[in-house]
Amino acid sequence: MNNNQDKTILEKHNSKIWQEIPKNFEQAISVIKEFAFTEVKKEAEKKQLYFHNHAHAEAVQRRAEIIFNAIKPFWNQICYQSDSSDSKRAKYLIDICAASHDMIQEFLPLKSPQTARQRESGVSENATINKLIEFIKHLNQKYTLENPELPALFTQSDLEIIRKSISATICYFDTNDNSIYQPDLYNSEEQILLNARIIALADIGGLGIDGIAAYFQEGSLILLEENPDIIPLIKEFLTKKEDSSNNKEVYENLRERLLKRAKFQISFAKGRLARLNRELEGLPEEVVLILKEKVFKHLNEQTIEQIEALTPTAADTNLEKLIEFFELEKYIHN
């Protein structure tokens, strides 16, 4: 399917928003965010996304704003790229990226039943970037036709900042510490754009910014999103607790998967704490101090100890306790 066909389909399904002509840059931002949130909601409904949905997009936007506000007084000092020197414009672009960064979620085909569905790193993000930039170019074109004497709403530099910011959210799994990281934050050859750093940190910064309760909730929702096959099993188990012996093998597989996820949440939390200094590298010492004390205030040894104490990891932890820990009954019925 070529780009024109893709665009025709998008216009058909989202015709009203594709027909809007913003009067200025600020209005264009609102139109793009509306487009992004609409697409995120559609994708979540279509693909049973418990986590990568409108609530997550809003959470990332909120966390990005917290980070931005903390470093805004130092913006001119720490922004090394002239294209991002206007902090007000940078904030608008950050809002766009936060709203849209998970607009598309592509899963690999399942190799076998009773396994988690997986994504190939970068595929969803690149598809999101292409879809978003296509829409922005469409707005630019409509605006320019309406206002031929004025420059386009979004410059090529804007589009490159958006591209790099969403690309910075691409995650990889590190087998050394059994955790997740974003490679763009570790590129020693090229200083990451400030916008991109903010979006990346906001995306997986739930524990540091929002605390343990939010972290546990995110973990439960990701668990359900990546393992939709367990939902009917959990419902069945909760309904027939006394008569669960009939599906003993199936429930044991479920128990092992939940236990593995519980252990991973501890590793991921430890990884967030261990990696923070590296991910803030290149920023002035006073900015790093503010971010660690005022923004990522929950990332400390006490938090890790609490997570370890609260998380069931014993090899003989029963299924009922694991379901209770993840609060799965609440989430699958919402």
Side-chain angles (χ1 to χ4, degrees):
M1 188 177 290
N2 60 38
N3 289 337
N4 288 333
Q5 288 173 310
D6 283 340
K7 185 172 178 180
T8 301
I9 291 171
L10 282 167
E11 288 183 341
K12 182 179 178 182
H13 289 289
N14 215 353
S15 57
K16 181 184 175 184
I17 203 162
W18 277 81
Q19 291 169 9
E20 289 193 40
I21 305 174
K23 293 182 172 60
N24 51 48
F25 182 73
E26 289 78 8
Q27 194 176 97
I29 297 296
S30 297
V31 172
I32 294 166
K33 285 167 64 177
E34 182 185 350
F35 167 74
F37 284 139
T38 299
E39 293 300 311
V40 166
K41 288 175 183 176
K42 282 163 52 180
E43 189 81 342
E45 185 176 343
K46 178 182 175 184
K47 296 180 180 176
Q48 201 176 358
L49 304 179
Y50 279 81
F51 177 71
H52 289 102
N53 51 30
H54 183 243
H56 173 63
E58 285 192 323
V60 173
Q61 189 174 340
R62 173 181 53 79
R63 293 198 291 255
E65 186 166 2
I66 291 171
I67 298 170
F68 175 83
N69 287 338
I71 66 177
K72 185 181 177 182
F74 307 92
W75 192 269
N76 292 334
Q77 177 187 347
I78 61 180
C79 185
Y80 306 111
Q81 298 86 9
S82 58
D83 294 338
S84 304
S85 58
D86 181 348
S87 62
K88 184 178 180 181
R89 191 175 187 89
K91 176 59 168 58
Y92 280 129
L93 298 182
I94 287 168
D95 284 347
I96 287 176
C97 295
S100 63
H101 75 285
D102 283 324
M103 200 158 54
I104 295 177
Q105 293 296 308
E106 297 289 356
F107 294 95
L108 294 167
L110 284 177
K111 294 180 180 178
S112 61
Q114 296 183 4
T115 55
R117 55 180 179 176
Q118 298 179 328
R119 304 169 186 82
E120 183 179 347
S121 293
V123 172
S124 299
E125 292 83 0
N126 287 326
T128 292
I129 289 166
N130 292 337
K131 189 172 191 175
L132 177 62
I133 288 181
E134 181 191 13
F135 182 71
I136 293 173
K137 286 181 175 179
H138 169 78
L139 285 186
N140 261 354
Q141 185 180 37
K142 277 190 167 293
Y143 179 81
T144 302
L145 287 172
E146 191 82 5
N147 305 277
E149 75 286 358
L150 297 175
L153 292 167
F154 292 85
T155 66
Q156 285 302 313
S157 293
D158 291 333
L159 298 183
E160 189 61 21
I161 289 169
I162 290 167
R163 185 183 298 278
K164 287 184 176 180
S165 296
I166 296 177
S167 183
T169 66
I170 294 173
C171 291
Y172 282 81
F173 181 74
D174 189 337
T175 55
N176 292 321
D177 61 0
N178 197 31
S179 189
I180 302 291
Y181 72 102
Q182 297 152 315
D184 282 10
L185 288 171
Y186 296 79
N187 188 347
S188 57
E189 296 180 4
E190 182 182 353
Q191 176 78 287
I192 187 171
L193 286 173
L194 193 50
N195 287 49
R197 192 196 293 261
I198 290 171
I199 290 294
L201 291 171
D203 188 26
I204 60 173
L207 173 59
I209 297 174
D210 297 329
I212 294 175
Y215 178 69
F216 279 167
Q217 178 176 323
E218 286 191 353
S220 297
L221 295 175
I222 293 170
L223 169 68
L224 290 173
E225 177 172 305
E226 294 180 346
N227 301 272
D229 66 294
I230 72 174
I231 295 169
L233 295 177
I234 292 166
K235 289 180 178 178
E236 181 184 80
F237 177 81
L238 292 170
T239 306
K240 305 175 180 178
K241 284 181 188 176
E242 296 79 12
D243 190 29
S244 60
S245 57
N246 292 338
N247 282 325
K248 192 172 182 180
E249 188 176 331
V250 173
Y251 288 143
E252 175 58 20
N253 175 271
L254 174 59
R255 188 192 74 84
E256 289 173 0
R257 288 165 72 181
L258 296 188
L259 185 60
K260 182 179 179 181
R261 177 71 206 189
K263 292 177 179 178
F264 169 74
Q265 288 195 176
I266 295 175
S267 299
F268 183 54
K270 288 180 176 179
R272 289 293 82 225
L273 174 59
R275 291 174 176 275
L276 184 61
N277 284 335
R278 178 70 189 277
E279 292 174 352
L280 299 180
E281 212 169 79
L283 296 173
E285 190 175 330
E286 57 187 329
V287 175
V288 171
L289 192 62
I290 287 171
L291 288 173
K292 291 174 75 171
E293 292 185 352
K294 304 293 185 183
V295 178
F296 297 97
K297 56 185 180 292
H298 298 287
L299 274 187
N300 52 55
E301 290 295 344
Q302 291 74 27
T303 294
I304 301 301
E305 288 171 6
Q306 287 182 56
I307 289 173
E308 287 182 311
L310 292 168
T311 306
T313 58
D316 61 350
T317 305
N318 64 43
L319 179 55
E320 187 173 357
K321 185 172 182 179
L322 287 163
I323 290 174
E324 183 181 330
F325 167 71
F326 285 109
E327 298 185 279
L328 297 181
E329 185 171 9
K330 176 175 75 174
Y331 295 124
I332 63 177
H333 288 110
N334 279 349

